[in-house]
Amino acid sequence: MNRHPIAVALRALRQTVLGPDAPVERPLLARWPGPARYAAPVGLLAALGLFLITLTVESEWGLPILVALLFAAMTVAPLLALPRRPLLAWRLTVLALLICTFNAPADQAWPWTPPLALGSIVVVAVVVTRVDRPVLGWVVAITTVPVLTLVEPENRVAVLLLLGALAIVGDLIRRNRLSRRALAAQTELSEREQERRGVLEERTRIARELHDVVAHHMSLIAVQAETAPYRLTDVPAPAAAEFVAIAASARDALTDMRRLLGVLRSETTGPQTAPQPDLTDLGAMVDAARRAGLSVTLDAEQVDDDRVPAPVGLAAYRIVQEGLANAARHAAGAAVRVTVRAGASGLGVRVENAPPATAGSRPGEAGSGHGLTGMRERATSLGGTFTAGPLPDGGYAVAAELPYDAEGGDR
């Protein structure tokens, strides 16, 4: 940007004469909403009173009625525009100071009527608090033109001193207002930064707790499951396969845990680029469950993976995963059936298990219940439905309907 003094002065002159008006950030009576509702009618009554006073004075001067009406209107117009258009009000004021003097009596000490003189002071006092310094300089300079040309020499000094005082005080008021606004913005920014820092500290604490407690125990489970066949004698082949499956499941859980810890410790909240599981991974998950000792049947032959959006596939995978975990936890030895069906507008997911072979509680009757809550939240977040409950034969089933338009478009 060109910062040459002449260029700055010319730009400020254009702004002063023809540029857009100075913005009014906050109405004058914004702090007092009660009196503010009466400001408009009271202002109109005051403007009407000034109009009548000006009309009376100019009629006493012997002005024609049409000229008196015009001059009275030019006296009141700047005050009406002042609350919302201060720079426009100043332009109208200068025009009125230059025009409304041609027929003033020669014996008058001042070339303007008292309402016009006092109104001009009010307009200038407001404008100098709204404009920046270059525009302020031109406002004062242009306002002195009618003063130097129309005011009597013995009164010019007093008027010029008044203009200078208004300019200095107005600039101080404006700079103080800008400083307070900048301080308020900085305070708000500091509060937001403190809130963000508090969130990051809490996320770091959670990540540390997860690492110190959960990840440590999962690592021990994986190591013990891998070394158990070597530490024990005469381990049957099915049992050895189960140990291998336990170790694999523990390491998969550790991988997911490390990804979660990375998200918690990261200061950014951008999209995750790590690959997420989908319906193509259901077979591998079911095979891992079988190696862990579950009797699982998967029925997902009619599902077209290309038709299912990624969020729907991920939600279906997680629901099946949690359903299998609940079946293994609460219905040990029971047969589990996983059914995934692709409908015309959505994907149906169902995980049901037979009655447990050994005594034990069913899902939802023991434990924290976070698994069912998580499955329900995944389904409802996509606009779908979720149901869970016991079956007549003593088993348990969870079912979800996930619409295809979860991403906002028909896939």
Side-chain angles (χ1 to χ4, degrees):
M1 181 180 294
N2 189 358
R3 292 294 183 180
H4 194 276
I6 297 179
V8 173
L10 292 177
R11 189 180 302 109
L13 177 60
R14 184 168 59 253
Q15 168 71 22
T16 304
V17 178
L18 300 174
D21 212 322
V24 179
E25 296 87 357
R26 188 177 185 183
L28 186 62
L29 297 177
R31 297 182 180 180
W32 302 283
R37 69 181 66 179
Y38 305 105
V42 171
L44 290 176
L45 290 176
L48 179 61
L50 288 177
F51 180 84
L52 296 177
I53 293 174
T54 305
L55 186 62
T56 302
V57 172
E58 292 177 345
S59 298
E60 294 177 355
W61 285 0
L63 297 178
I65 185 61
L66 294 180
V67 176
L69 289 173
L70 175 62
F71 287 2
M74 295 183 66
T75 300
V76 175
L79 298 176
L80 295 177
L82 184 61
R84 296 187 179 275
R85 302 289 299 276
L87 199 54
L88 175 62
W90 171 80
R91 294 166 185 164
L92 295 176
T93 297
V94 173
L95 187 63
L97 292 176
L98 291 173
I99 293 178
C100 300
T101 57
F102 292 163
N103 295 314
D107 59 346
Q108 294 294 324
W110 295 93
W112 308 297
T113 60
L116 179 57
L118 295 177
S120 302
I121 295 174
V122 172
V123 170
V124 173
V126 173
V127 170
V128 294
T129 63
R130 298 292 184 182
V131 296
D132 54 12
R133 282 187 173 180
V135 177
L136 172 62
W138 282 111
V139 167
V140 175
I142 296 175
T143 307
T144 59
V145 173
V147 175
L148 296 176
T149 56
L150 300 174
V151 177
E152 296 295 332
E154 61 270 16
N155 296 328
R156 291 175 184 171
V157 176
V159 177
L160 294 177
L161 289 177
L162 178 60
L163 285 176
L166 290 177
I168 294 174
V169 174
D171 184 64
L172 292 177
I173 292 175
R174 178 178 177 274
R175 291 174 64 86
N176 181 58
R177 184 173 63 249
L178 293 178
S179 299
R180 286 189 283 108
R181 188 180 300 121
L183 180 61
Q186 184 63 34
T187 302
E188 183 180 359
L189 183 62
S190 300
E191 292 177 354
R192 291 182 179 178
E193 181 64 23
Q194 291 178 359
E195 292 177 359
R196 189 181 71 88
R197 189 179 300 276
V199 172
L200 291 177
E201 291 177 355
E202 182 65 16
R203 288 169 59 180
T204 302
R205 185 189 66 81
I206 295 173
R208 184 171 58 250
E209 293 294 331
L210 288 175
H211 178 270
D212 293 344
V213 179
V214 181
H216 174 69
H217 290 305
M218 293 300 298
S219 299
L220 290 179
I221 292 174
V223 172
Q224 291 174 350
E226 287 182 342
T227 59
Y230 302 98
R231 292 182 286 103
L232 301 176
T233 59
D234 298 331
V235 178
E242 289 189 14
F243 281 125
V244 173
I246 293 173
S249 299
R251 295 199 178 279
D252 290 340
L254 279 174
T255 301
D256 292 338
M257 181 68 67
R258 293 190 185 98
R259 186 180 299 118
L260 175 61
L261 294 179
V263 172
L264 288 176
R265 286 178 172 145
S266 175
E267 297 187 6
T268 61
T269 57
Q272 300 300 311
T273 58
Q276 296 292 323
D278 54 19
L279 296 180
T280 59
D281 299 308
L282 285 178
M285 179 173 59
V286 170
D287 291 339
R290 289 168 180 163
R291 291 194 298 269
L294 282 178
S295 175
V296 185
T297 302
L298 176 61
D299 183 6
E301 297 179 355
Q302 300 179 359
V303 177
D304 185 4
D305 299 330
D306 296 334
R307 186 182 180 186
V308 180
V312 176
L314 175 61
Y317 180 90
R318 295 304 186 192
I319 291 174
V320 173
Q321 184 182 45
E322 184 63 29
L324 292 178
N326 282 342
R329 185 182 307 113
H330 301 286
V336 183
R337 182 177 182 84
V338 178
T339 305
V340 181
R341 286 284 184 268
S345 60
L347 186 71
V349 181
R350 181 180 178 87
V351 181
E352 61 179 80
N353 59 266
T358 59
S361 62
R362 291 176 297 188
E365 295 182 352
S368 62
H370 293 311
L372 294 177
T373 301
M375 288 189 283
R376 180 174 291 106
E377 289 176 350
R378 287 185 181 276
T380 55
S381 65
L382 297 176
T385 59
F386 176 81
T387 57
L391 298 175
D393 61 356
Y396 202 88
V398 295
E401 292 291 334
L402 309 175
Y404 291 147
D405 59 352
E407 292 182 326
D410 189 3
R411 298 292 293 269

